[in-house]
Amino acid sequence: MVSQPWMVCTLLVSCLTFACESRGPRRLRDTEGRTFEATCPKGAPCQVAQKTGPRRAGKPEHTLLLGSRLIGVCDVAQGAAPQGPFDCRPLGCDADADCPPLHGMKDGQCLNRRCSDPSAPVTVQDSVMLCLAGTGLGRETPAQIERYALALNCGTPCTVPTPCQQP
């Protein structure tokens, strides 16, 4: 039983603070001018819904791609995972609050106007997303095919090719 008034206030503030971490939709945007609403419950994957911008035929759902330096939003078939990073585009940001939370934090991290995980190295996955950024959805146009080939050859350690957006 909590009997001290300051303990009651501390407990109340703590509960409200932790509740805020799992609440409310967060607005996200990608390099193709699309906006999304993401609800990211603590300890569970974010639920992502597209709000504006072009839609990719046959891929009505969206999910976040993690696991490398950049965080991307991916077009996926209903109930499916991304086929590869070519289905994804990097998330843009102006501040940490514009990014989905990682590692149990309240907000993500915005580095160089990209939602990033600074503890992860740049990988081929990042190179693909950055090379396809701003080229539209999919990977079927001649320019996208060329950029995709460039991205796959980023080397070890991965250096994103010059014609592509940089991390």
Side-chain angles (χ1 to χ4, degrees):
M1 181 71 134
V2 179
S3 59
Q4 298 293 327
W6 64 270
M7 291 177 75
V8 172
C9 287
T10 302
L11 182 61
L12 180 61
V13 169
S14 295
C15 288
L16 290 174
T17 300
F18 290 118
C20 289
E21 288 184 28
S22 63
R23 270 195 207 185
R26 182 180 299 259
R27 292 293 249 178
L28 304 175
R29 70 177 190 275
D30 74 356
T31 57
E32 307 314 302
R34 302 180 298 173
T35 61
F36 303 86
E37 198 170 80
T39 302
C40 302
K42 192 172 181 177
C46 294
Q47 302 300 313
V48 182
Q50 186 173 344
K51 294 299 176 185
T52 66
R55 294 183 182 271
R56 192 157 169 214
K59 302 216 177 188
E61 293 185 358
H62 300 88
T63 189
L64 294 181
L65 182 66
L66 308 170
S68 63
R69 171 73 57 96
L70 299 178
I71 301 167
V73 64
C74 308
D75 301 317
V76 296
Q78 189 170 3
Q83 291 179 328
F86 47 79
D87 283 335
C88 311
R89 296 299 184 267
L91 290 177
C93 57
D94 294 317
D96 289 349
D98 297 335
C99 298
L102 296 174
H103 309 299
M105 299 183 334
K106 182 180 175 192
D107 292 322
Q109 291 192 298
C110 182
L111 300 170
N112 299 325
R113 302 183 60 84
R114 299 273 183 248
C115 292
S116 301
D117 181 355
S119 67
V122 173
T123 66
V124 172
Q125 176 175 296
D126 300 312
S127 183
V128 168
M129 286 194 295
L130 287 167
C131 284
L132 292 176
T135 67
L137 303 178
R139 63 174 173 140
E140 295 81 23
T141 69
Q144 289 170 328
I145 292 168
E146 180 182 334
R147 290 285 185 94
Y148 183 61
L150 279 172
L152 291 176
N153 293 300
C154 67
T156 305
C158 183
T159 302
V160 177
T162 303
C164 305
Q165 293 184 16
Q166 297 299 305

